[in-house]
Amino acid sequence: MEKIDDKTLQGLRDMGAFGLQVPTEFGGLGLTNTQYARLVEIVGAHDLGIGIALGAHQSIGFKGILLYGDKKQKEKYLPSLASGEKMAAFCLTEPSSGSDANSIRSRAVLSPDGKHFILNGSKIWISNGGTADVLTVFAQTPIKDPKTGETKDQVTAFVVERGFGGVTNGKPEKKMGIKASNTAELYFDNVKIPIENVLGEVGKGFKVSMNILNNGRFGMAAALSGTMRNLIRKAVEHAHQRVQFGKTIDTYGTIQEKLARMAMKHYVTESMAYMISANMDSGATDFQIEAAISKIHGSEAAWYVCDETIQILGGMGFMKEAGIERVLRDLRIFRIFEGTNDILRLFVALTGIQVSRGRSTEW
């Protein structure tokens, strides 16, 4: 499936799936983080491509409006985004900027009349890039230091509408997995952004981007928990029915050990997802380390569980008919996007080192 069919999209709209955590006053369901995690887990058990389309829309796409938007921005954008009438996307990655988000080259310069920022640049590998109407875009803006008078570029976050003009996208990317989700390059050519569409403060966009990613990262562990639960179910069913050497293979120690390890990894991932969501619901704001760890562990555990499921099913697991090869392809991206596992490991280590030295670090 190279795209989500219209019937499925409409069904998701009818269920309110595009505005799960949008407050009811703006047309959403107003779910808690824990309730959101539960629904994401269900989606993750069935189709990660659809999960990515939904997550790119609300977990990061318009999350900045929820976290940093003022009253007018929320009133203007959230109702149509919550209903699914409009789609959202998070636009950070560029050809020369991946993990080093501060090195983006897209630029937004204030117009002579001071009413708009003029945006030029491009973004790559943007989930929902070809379908989104509302974009959270990060660009360098020249900022003058009031103390020294020196002007330096700093990242600013903007809410950009495709309807502003000058926004175009490339063809959908041909990907290894999550094929149902739209991924495309975006181009910005002299896009006029009203100054009221700055998200947060001018020059504070890097912090905005990191907080958006930190806030939505726990959902990845929840989705992968659902994926692992479904894979384990398939593995157990096959092991219970498959007879070799006169016995079902679930009676052999080798298979039992595989299933035990798979269950352990699933349990840890699920526990982390709901621990973090519960902490967030109780008002905790310092959860970025836990979220990073849950993303690292969840993505690697899900890959392990999927690989072992294929092994237990043997030749059948390698066949397209079983549906597991698609899951394996879908899973590979989870160790890369929304913070590579390599960078997140450095983040965890750096934070621990700095805290032990009496300093703090912010992402």
Side-chain angles (χ1 to χ4, degrees):
M1 184 170 64
E2 295 289 335
K3 60 173 288 187
I4 305 173
D5 63 86
D6 293 338
K7 183 179 179 181
T8 300
L9 281 174
Q10 189 55 50
L12 292 168
R13 291 189 188 101
D14 294 341
M15 290 189 293
F18 287 92
L20 296 176
Q21 290 192 280
V22 174
T24 54
E25 63 185 289
F26 299 117
L29 298 184
L31 301 186
T32 65
N33 290 293
T34 300
Q35 291 169 327
Y36 174 78
R38 181 68 186 110
L39 291 178
V40 167
E41 185 179 10
I42 293 170
V43 175
H46 291 88
D47 194 305
L48 288 170
I50 292 176
I52 292 302
L54 289 173
H57 170 70
Q58 58 196 315
S59 183
I60 56 175
F62 66 75
K63 181 59 70 76
I65 300 175
L66 281 174
L67 296 177
Y68 291 94
D70 57 33
K71 188 171 184 288
K72 288 184 178 179
Q73 289 171 336
K74 291 179 178 179
E75 289 175 343
K76 180 178 181 180
Y77 292 110
L78 290 181
S80 59
L81 290 167
S83 68
E85 175 189 344
K86 293 183 178 180
M87 292 289 286
F90 179 84
C91 307
L92 180 63
T93 304
E94 296 184 0
S96 62
S97 170
S99 296
D100 183 8
N102 244 338
S103 68
I104 59 175
R105 296 182 180 179
S106 294
R107 287 182 59 79
V109 180
L110 194 63
S111 61
D113 62 9
K115 295 182 178 180
H116 297 84
F117 280 90
I118 309 302
L119 172 66
N120 285 282
S122 65
K123 303 289 181 177
I124 60 170
W125 303 324
I126 304 303
S127 296
N128 295 345
T131 58
D133 309 284
V134 179
L135 314 167
T136 300
V137 181
F138 299 87
Q140 300 285 1
T141 51
I143 307 293
K144 187 174 183 179
D145 189 321
K147 295 181 180 179
T148 65
E150 186 179 1
T151 299
K152 291 184 177 181
D153 280 350
Q154 293 181 7
V155 178
T156 299
F158 300 93
V159 179
V160 178
E161 298 178 35
R162 190 178 290 268
F164 286 166
V167 180
T168 56
N169 60 268
K171 294 180 180 179
E173 300 286 358
K174 298 294 183 181
K175 306 188 294 293
M176 175 181 177
I178 58 167
K179 294 185 177 182
S181 69
N182 177 279
T183 306
E185 190 166 355
L186 280 164
Y187 312 101
F188 305 98
D189 183 15
N190 290 321
V191 180
K192 293 178 66 176
I193 309 171
I195 57 171
E196 55 266 28
N197 276 44
V198 170
L199 201 54
E201 300 178 44
V202 175
K204 303 295 184 181
F206 179 76
K207 184 177 180 180
V208 171
S209 69
M210 293 301 105
N211 283 342
I212 290 172
L213 292 170
N214 286 333
N215 192 275
R217 198 167 273 141
F218 80 96
M220 205 173 291
L224 294 173
S225 171
T227 305
M228 283 187 270
R229 184 187 299 277
N230 194 42
L231 288 168
I232 293 170
R233 179 185 60 79
K234 289 185 177 184
V236 170
E237 288 177 356
H238 178 83
H240 186 62
Q241 296 170 8
R242 178 68 168 167
V243 177
Q244 289 291 282
F245 305 105
K247 296 191 295 185
T248 56
I249 64 173
D250 62 354
T251 61
Y252 294 110
T254 299
I255 301 300
Q256 292 171 358
E257 182 177 356
K258 287 182 183 295
L259 292 172
R261 291 185 182 277
M262 292 159 67
M264 289 162 57
K265 290 181 180 292
H266 168 248
Y267 176 75
V268 172
T269 302
E270 182 182 53
S271 298
M272 284 195 290
Y274 287 105
M275 180 200 71
I276 297 166
S277 67
N279 287 344
M280 293 170 72
D281 288 338
S282 67
T285 57
D286 187 12
F287 51 79
Q288 61 266 32
I289 290 295
E290 291 88 344
I293 293 171
S294 74
K295 192 267 189 183
I296 296 167
H297 177 83
S299 59
E300 294 176 2
W303 180 266
Y304 174 90
V305 168
C306 190
D307 185 61
E308 287 289 69
T309 299
I310 293 173
Q311 193 69 18
I312 291 172
L313 268 67
M316 179 56 70
F318 195 69
M319 296 299 111
K320 192 170 185 178
E321 178 185 354
I324 304 172
E325 58 85 26
R326 175 177 63 83
V327 179
L328 190 75
R329 288 186 287 103
D330 288 349
L331 284 173
R332 188 59 186 88
I333 190 61
F334 282 82
R335 285 185 278 162
I336 300 172
F337 66 3
E338 292 194 33
T340 69
N341 286 12
D342 313 86
I343 291 295
L344 291 179
R345 277 189 167 89
L346 290 175
F347 169 54
V348 172
L350 176 64
T351 303
I353 291 169
Q354 292 195 337
V355 168
S356 70
R357 291 176 177 172
R359 300 198 300 266
S360 65
T361 182
E362 263 191 5
W363 266 46

